[in-house]
Amino acid sequence: MDAQGRGRADDVDPADQWVLNPRTGEYELRLSPSAPQSPVPGPRRGAPRSPGTGKDAGGAGTARRRTAAPGREVPPQRRRRPGPEEPVPGRRGRRPEKKSKGKRALLWVGGSTAFVVLVAGVGGYVYLKHLEGNVSTTDVGSAGSSSFKKDEAFNILIIGTDKRTGEGNEGYGDKGSVGHADTNILLHVSEDRSNATALSIPRDLIVDIPDCETTQEDGTKKIIPGSTGVRFNTSLGESGRDAGCTMRTVKEATGIQPDHFMMADFNAVKTLTTAVGGVDVCVEKAVDDPKSHLKLPAGESKVEGEQALAFVRTRHAFGNEGDLDRIKVQQQFLGSLMRKMSSSDTLTSPTKLVKLAEAATKALTVDKAIGKVGTLKDMALELKKVPPKNITFTTVPVIDNPAEKVKATVVVNETTGPQVFDMIRNDISFTEVKQKEKKEAAAVAARLKGERSEPSEVRVRVMNGGAPAGSAQQELAYLQTDAGVTKSENAGNAPAEVAKTTLEYAPDQADQARALAEILGLSGAAMKPGESVTNSQGLPTMTLTLGKDFKGAGVKLNAAVKKPDLDNESTADQKQCAS
């Protein structure tokens, strides 16, 4: 605990102050009676116990009194059920061996996301504020979202830079590098938290970098000119570009909008792997790479610190000694690190959690929208819901750059690449997810049942509420030309963006709404009974608002998307050997 929490940072190991509450499955911060109490929600401690008695200081056999701050209601005492004795809150003791379901946290990608997971696992406002002070932030302006929303799918761009910072990193990266986007993973987390996709973006992918606005140290804004036909890694560092420029480049190349970013350097791999006591890796053949100084026997090994960094940085020990082969090895490494982070020996150790939190935050830079402690904790609680078996690692489908005689760069495979991007944009899992059976309320399901008007009698105006530009006009053309909905018109942009397409209608328009829902593939939940508006002829009409889930003119919203065949796909629960 630092001076923010205790006033005397070196008096006590902060890990000693975290106690597992068996009722909640969460660690809680417990300070000594003489120390200032942190404003952590939860039970308050009673009077200090008399030494050696195990009873309250008020006298032998005196019952412990439950007190609370003014205005705070104290929950009633619960009758103890027969079973193992619970540890007294505030006392360190032997933790129960049963693993709490609430501790199955997930680490997405090395140092970048260790912090958000640990925030949820550790808790405690004072210590979280201390960790927040470790994190650096960057103002990316309109390149990302202004806030984090718990009820929507979200995309985090994970960036590993090749900038040499700290001692012992002289053998890695380019000497004097300004910090390029060397390792890049776009992490998509589904809206229902049933799955996630970690899409690696090769640093040597040829892209167009758009003009981007950056915030200078003095607070002024500066436009960095874009570049065409250049390597993706130059979207960061080159010409003063910041992470916001990398986010804009991802949007330009894939059509996927990153909401936030997390960036770490070489030190994150070294400090994190040391904090967890090493990460298990596997190689098919013995490795002896003089350039990275990596030496490993065939089979399984445990790496940490310098050796772990050498493992993820080497380009000459595996495959064709190229960046694409290194990406596969990095994905395998991250899967193993995730399993180690979510193992019981890590999650039940306050000491390890504190070390991990310190290591991760000191090597972490994020956008300002997620730089606050409350936001990071909210994100952590959402991330930990996704099962490892449904976290897919894959890479942007690419082919060798046809413009080069000596192959050094790659371009997007136009056959399979757009399919991968569409799946992520449309929040479609790469794994077969067992969805919980979701039964709509009877009133919602009933919206689809009943008589349907003829398409020619349906009056509707179409608005764009988050779909790509021009979608409203394209859908209107489909409705009028192909679907027979001739009484339709374009109403322009909606007042605000929406995640899901909706159809609002008055009660006496229900038969029209059902007809249009069948044409568009709308669910009962997408149909919103409300009020009608008047169209250009002054007649009552429904309002169709195209959301971010819009798949294209004439494409039903409930249509299945075919998954492309990918040769570099794995999930976080799989153990693999690098070759």
Side-chain angles (χ1 to χ4, degrees), residues 402-452:
E404 295 177 335
K405 292 183 178 180
V406 178
K407 305 303 180 185
T409 61
V410 294
V411 296
V412 173
N413 184 329
E414 292 300 332
T415 300
T416 54
Q419 292 178 274
V420 170
F421 303 152
D422 284 345
M423 289 184 68
I424 293 176
R425 274 199 306 269
N426 293 314
D427 197 23
I428 298 173
S429 176
F430 282 69
T431 58
E432 292 185 10
V433 177
K434 270 191 175 182
Q435 301 284 359
K436 293 181 179 178
E437 194 174 338
K438 297 179 180 178
K439 294 183 178 179
E440 292 182 318
V444 173
R447 296 171 189 169
L448 295 171
K449 298 178 181 179
E451 296 183 359
R452 293 175 172 81

Side-chain angles (χ1 to χ4, degrees), residues 468-492:
S471 294
Q473 185 59 40
Q474 294 167 13
E475 185 72 345
L476 177 66
Y478 163 75
L479 289 173
Q480 293 181 339
T481 305
D482 300 315
V485 185
T486 55
K487 297 178 181 178
S488 52
E489 61 183 44
N490 189 341

Side-chain angles (χ1 to χ4, degrees), residues 452-460 462 473-489 512 514-521 542 544 550 552-556:
R452 293 175 172 81
S453 300
E454 292 296 322
S456 60
E457 297 302 316
V458 173
R459 290 191 300 271
V460 62
V462 183
Q473 185 59 40
Q474 294 167 13
E475 185 72 345
L476 177 66
Y478 163 75
L479 289 173
Q480 293 181 339
T481 305
D482 300 315
V485 185
T486 55
K487 297 178 181 178
S488 52
E489 61 183 44
Q512 295 183 42
R514 287 190 285 268
L516 191 59
E518 184 178 33
I519 293 171
L520 301 178
M542 302 181 295
L544 174 66
F550 180 69
V555 181
K556 290 192 175 185

Side-chain angles (χ1 to χ4, degrees), residues 8 18 28 44 63 72 79 116 141 191 522:
R8 295 167 59 189
W18 300 100
E28 296 178 354
R44 296 197 31 159
R72 181 174 178 180
R79 176 174 295 181
V116 290
E191 181 179 12
L522 294 177

